[in-house]
Amino acid sequence: MVPKCGYIRKAVAVATRPDPAATVEIELDGLPGGADAFEKAARYCYGANFEISARNAAALLCAAAFLDMQPADGGLARRVEEFLAQAGLRTLPNAIAVLRSCEGPLLTAAEELGVARRAADAVALRICNEVLFPTRSPPEWWASELAALSPVSFHRVFTALRCRRAGPEVLVAAATAYAELLLADGKASDHRALLESVVAVLPSADDAPLPAAFLCRLLHDAVTTEASAKTCRDLELRLAAVLDQATAGDLLAFAFDGAGERVINTESLRRVIAAFVERESGAGRNRRASLSGAAALGAGALQKVAKMVDEVAAEIATDESLPISKFVGVAGAVPKDARATHDCLYRAVDIYLKAHPELDEIEREKVCSVMDTLKLSYTARLHASQNKRLPLQAVLSALYYDQLKLRSAGVGHDDEDNDARSEAGSARMQAKADAALARENEALRSELARMRAHMSSGMQQSKGSGSRTAATAAVAGKKASFFGSMSRTLSRLNPFRAGGGWSKDTSSIRESRGGAMNVVKPKRRRSSIS
């Protein structure tokens, strides 16, 4: 092997310099690929047959470089390079096998020679070709092939995909399939370390936002296995970035334990919601500053998350061991003004109070502090005003709001309460007010006609009797009766009249026993009939 291996030739020359007949011992502990690679290198030197495959090509290439096997014809390295160009890196399974062989003790030498980088780039190229021109079914069969790689090799492949400008859907499919398959095959003993390694190489949210359901499963595993704080925080921020795409079922699967009986992840859930709210608040300020139409989209995302949080709060409220602080932390993580109505939140509060009947008045007030009774619908306020589980303060707030609504708008039904919040509802209420005013005017005209008829009848009776004094008294009585009726009718049209408390008092007009009217004239008032 001396003529074809520069490393061995130099070692023999140094060892035989003092004594050319001495026995030479060469240490090859650092040879990449170990004994198998040395055997194949020796076979090449002796001209014997040996096999080059995707699993040993990288080791032979590194061994040839270590032994300095570079004769004029290229030696072993040339034969390995020909194999990689013709077969080793031409298909996805072979390229993955070459990349996988670069892991472990061979990694340093493979990185120095660039074999690992070339194999990763070949894998990325084959994936892009499969996406454009599928050769197998299903189209994403290639994603399962990545599960054989270590987290370090997968990260190298993902970097190569980004360099080739692969689409976000390709990056997401690669990341989710790799993480799910790798964690499913992992043993319980190394699950935590494997999870931390996978999370460390996941793509950023800017490159490829991962699905919310997938992130919820990862976060649940991270909390269950007590992964590092860095891993948990990374997953929480990733989930917060796509929280508006999640469902209540996703969050519940993350919040409860594996059996679905006990709530274990309320603190992590609260941090995720708080991070989303903070993110949306900052994005909302930017949208308002740019005066773009995306502000409505941001508000819609916040309202969607608020509704989802209310559903989650209603589900976790059934846990009898859930402390008040954790329930309030989750339900109150979204600002109160982010909800158009607090009906769903009231339902969650009522469920919690029903599941915890031992709470005192102060504790119940703390539970109810997450909702605003003024934002309840009429039906919900009616239920709250009769709910014995609520604290007295919440019941009084609901009753007080109903009184304000009755005095200001004069409506007491749920459909009218909802109509008042829309333009169409305001138009309907205005039409009802106009109709009521028309009925009052018609009643006033009828009263005036009746008074004229009574006055005409009184005048005819006064002429038949011939008594000037009696006629004058009768006319005065009719006039007084007319003015009293007018006053009572107009008082009903007084817009500032509240239950009759602010209307003018006409009790000073009383009827005498003889049928005549005793009129107490008001001071400094002049009345005329035109």
Side-chain angles (χ1 to χ4, degrees), residues 347-399:
R347 174 175 172 268
V349 169
D350 189 37
I351 292 175
Y352 186 86
L353 294 177
K354 186 176 182 179
H356 302 79
E358 73 282 354
L359 300 180
D360 56 24
E361 186 75 7
I362 297 178
E363 291 174 333
R364 284 183 290 159
E365 288 180 358
K366 185 176 181 181
V367 173
C368 294
S369 64
V370 298
M371 69 174 182
D372 186 0
T373 54
L374 301 184
K375 283 195 171 185
L376 297 178
S377 64
Y378 173 77
T379 304
R381 286 196 306 272
L382 182 61
H383 186 277
S385 63
Q386 302 173 359
N387 193 343
K388 297 181 180 180
R389 291 184 290 270
L390 293 180
L392 181 60
Q393 182 180 1
V395 175
L396 292 178
S397 298
L399 292 175

Side-chain angles (χ1 to χ4, degrees), residues 5-48:
C5 299
Y7 179 85
I8 296 179
R9 183 169 58 251
K10 292 177 183 179
V12 171
V14 172
T16 58
R17 188 175 301 167
D19 184 7
T23 303
V24 179
E25 292 184 3
I26 302 175
E27 295 289 341
L28 297 175
D29 294 338
L31 179 67
D36 184 70
F38 180 77
E39 179 187 358
K40 288 181 172 53
R43 284 179 171 274
Y44 168 77
C45 294
Y46 283 95

Side-chain angles (χ1 to χ4, degrees), residues 199-501:
V199 173
V201 299
L202 288 178
S204 63
D206 297 332
D207 291 335
L210 300 176
F214 168 71
L215 291 173
C216 285
R217 291 196 297 271
L218 285 184
L219 188 54
H220 181 273
D221 290 346
V223 176
T224 304
T225 59
E226 298 181 355
S228 64
K230 179 181 178 181
T231 300
C232 293
R233 185 58 180 167
D234 186 10
L235 290 174
E236 288 172 0
L237 294 178
R238 290 175 182 272
L239 180 56
V242 293
L243 189 59
D244 56 325
Q245 302 175 14
T247 63
D250 297 334
L251 295 184
L252 289 173
F254 153 62
F256 281 89
D257 57 5
E261 298 177 353
R262 189 168 58 90
V263 181
I264 59 173
N265 297 335
T266 53
E267 283 301 316
S268 185
L269 179 60
R270 181 192 61 80
R271 288 194 295 268
V272 169
I273 300 172
F276 172 80
V277 172
E278 182 179 359
R279 182 187 181 95
E280 285 297 313
S281 299
R285 288 192 293 267
N286 295 335
R287 284 191 290 263
R288 288 191 295 269
S290 61
L291 299 178
S292 65
L297 297 178
L302 191 58
Q303 291 181 1
K304 179 181 178 181
V305 171
K307 183 178 180 181
M308 179 173 57
V309 169
D310 294 345
E311 295 177 4
V312 172
E315 291 295 332
I316 66 175
T318 58
D319 188 358
E320 297 180 356
S321 61
L322 184 67
I324 297 177
S325 59
K326 292 187 176 181
F327 173 79
V328 172
V330 173
V334 179
K336 294 182 179 179
D337 55 0
R339 302 174 173 90
T341 176
H342 282 201
D343 287 7
C344 294
L345 187 57
Y346 167 67
R347 174 175 172 268
V349 169
D350 189 37
I351 292 175
Y352 186 86
L353 294 177
K354 186 176 182 179
H356 302 79
E358 73 282 354
L359 300 180
D360 56 24
E361 186 75 7
I362 297 178
E363 291 174 333
R364 284 183 290 159
E365 288 180 358
K366 185 176 181 181
V367 173
C368 294
S369 64
V370 298
M371 69 174 182
D372 186 0
T373 54
L374 301 184
K375 283 195 171 185
L376 297 178
S377 64
Y378 173 77
T379 304
R381 286 196 306 272
L382 182 61
H383 186 277
S385 63
Q386 302 173 359
N387 193 343
K388 297 181 180 180
R389 291 184 290 270
L390 293 180
L392 181 60
Q393 182 180 1
V395 175
L396 292 178
S397 298
L399 292 175
Y400 176 71
Y401 183 77
D402 279 339
Q403 291 297 323
L404 289 179
K405 292 291 291 184
L406 290 174
R407 289 189 178 186
S408 61
V411 293
H413 298 284
D414 188 30
D415 55 343
E416 293 176 350
D417 181 57
N418 292 331
D419 289 343
R421 299 176 184 176
S422 61
E423 186 176 357
S426 300
R428 286 194 292 270
M429 292 182 64
Q430 185 62 36
K432 292 180 180 180
D434 293 342
L437 183 60
R439 288 193 297 269
E440 293 287 349
N441 291 336
E442 184 65 27
L444 179 60
R445 285 192 293 268
S446 300
E447 187 72 16
L448 289 173
R450 188 172 64 84
M451 290 298 101
R452 290 195 185 98
H454 281 294
M455 292 176 64
S456 300
S457 176
M459 292 179 65
Q460 291 176 0
Q461 290 177 2
S462 65
K463 288 180 181 180
S465 62
S467 175
R468 181 79 176 176
T469 304
T472 304
V475 172
K478 296 301 181 180
K479 287 183 179 179
S481 177
F482 168 73
F483 284 126
S485 177
M486 284 284 292
S487 177
R488 288 190 298 272
T489 304
L490 290 175
S491 67
R492 292 195 298 269
L493 300 177
N494 187 2
F496 300 102
R497 181 173 180 266

Side-chain angles (χ1 to χ4, degrees), residues 161-218:
L161 286 172
R162 286 193 301 178
C163 293
R164 290 188 172 274
R165 300 186 181 277
E169 65 281 358
V170 177
L171 301 179
V172 170
T176 54
Y178 174 75
E180 290 179 348
L181 293 174
L182 190 64
L183 294 177
D185 295 337
K187 298 179 181 179
S189 58
D190 61 348
H191 193 80
R192 172 182 172 180
L194 193 60
L195 176 64
E196 293 177 352
S197 301
V198 169
V199 173
V201 299
L202 288 178
S204 63
D206 297 332
D207 291 335
L210 300 176
F214 168 71
L215 291 173
C216 285
R217 291 196 297 271
L218 285 184

